[in-house]
Amino acid sequence: MQLGLIGLGKMGGNMRDRVRAAGHEVVGYDPRPEVTDVDSLASLAAALTAPRVVWVMVPSGKPTRSTVQALADVLEPGDLVIDGGNSRYTDDAPNAALLDAKGIGYLDCGVSGGIWGKDNGYGLMAGGTPEHVELAMPIFDALRPEGPREEGFAHAGPVGAGHFSKMVHNGIEYGLMQAYAEGFELLSAADLVTDVPAVLQAWSRGTVVRSWLLDLLVLALKDDAELSKLDDYVDDSGEGRWTIEEAITHAVPLPVISAALFARFSSRQDSSPAMRAVAALRQQFGGHAVRAAGPAGAPGEHAGPSSGAGSTQD
């Protein structure tokens, strides 16, 4: 089978290699001349035999919408476009409608696997019609992990369901990573535990908390046992926020995922205005010790007015 693949970055380039290794022909397009197979989207379309299947792996938002718009002008009725990027699911219905007006099909597909997917396979969640899923199934089978199809691929529902599923997947990922991170910090803070990496590695088989994420943390600790080479700034790519917004819409409580997202926000603060306010309040109502701003600050350097005998403790 032929596949047109747009976007040959870390994910897209590895996906091209995996699909080719499965015996399919892949024609890739990327603005970078050193990685692209063709020089334009029009050339990409010309290199493929109808009905064409074109997979888009570009950044979400305007870049993806612009690419879909451009494909609507170079593809033909009966062709199929798959958005495999991290688009918000609300973009899928407009993209599908735009292409449908030209007789072109559309699938959205959440893709999980990161830089390891080339060798391990990708978890795939597709949204769209059964007919379009069937047309693309040889490519889905090439990309997913070896083993039963249902353990690496799901037709999640109609257009939008694939990206909605991936959004929730990434929200869960936020919570799992935060739990492992907090456990690592507590183990590291306890003088009683003298080999934190060994403890985490011992959890990797036979325990109820074993997972691939835990394996990756163990791998990171082999290179840097205290993770001292890394800054504590943690970004978020959007899916965690979208997951929480959907939880509010559907009145579904997500305390763990919400806390994990807010912890990432905390990581970006050189100092926390909120925690300074907490310190000020503790000083005011209880005369609790506070630290002065700057490197000279030390516990107990300043104390506020006492709230009297039997001072309230928090």
Side-chain angles (χ1 to χ4, degrees), residues 92-106:
D92 291 317
N95 285 342
L98 171 68
L99 293 170
D100 184 64
K102 299 289 187 74
I104 302 166
Y106 179 84

Side-chain angles (χ1 to χ4, degrees), residues 122 140-141 144-154:
Y122 301 88
F140 292 141
D141 281 340
R144 66 175 176 82
E146 295 181 5
R149 179 183 289 168
E150 61 270 19
E151 293 182 5
F153 171 83

Side-chain angles (χ1 to χ4, degrees), residues 36-139:
T36 195
D37 299 319
V38 292
D39 60 6
S40 67
L41 292 182
S43 298
L44 178 75
L48 300 173
T49 303
R52 302 168 183 84
V53 176
V54 178
W55 192 301
V56 179
M57 287 297 292
V58 302
S60 62
K62 185 177 179 180
T64 293
R65 292 192 294 269
S66 298
T67 301
V68 171
Q69 175 70 66
L71 287 171
D73 295 331
V74 299
L75 296 180
E76 299 176 342
D79 293 343
L80 175 64
V81 173
I82 304 171
D83 176 11
N86 281 329
S87 295
R88 189 164 187 170
Y89 80 97
T90 50
D91 284 350
D92 291 317
N95 285 342
L98 171 68
L99 293 170
D100 184 64
K102 299 289 187 74
I104 302 166
Y106 179 84
L107 292 174
D108 57 284
C109 186
V111 180
S112 180
I115 60 175
W116 301 83
K118 176 181 176 180
D119 296 323
N120 298 341
Y122 301 88
L124 306 171
M125 300 140 267
T129 68
E131 294 77 15
H132 290 147
V133 169
E134 186 63 28
L135 176 61
M137 189 56 72
I139 302 303

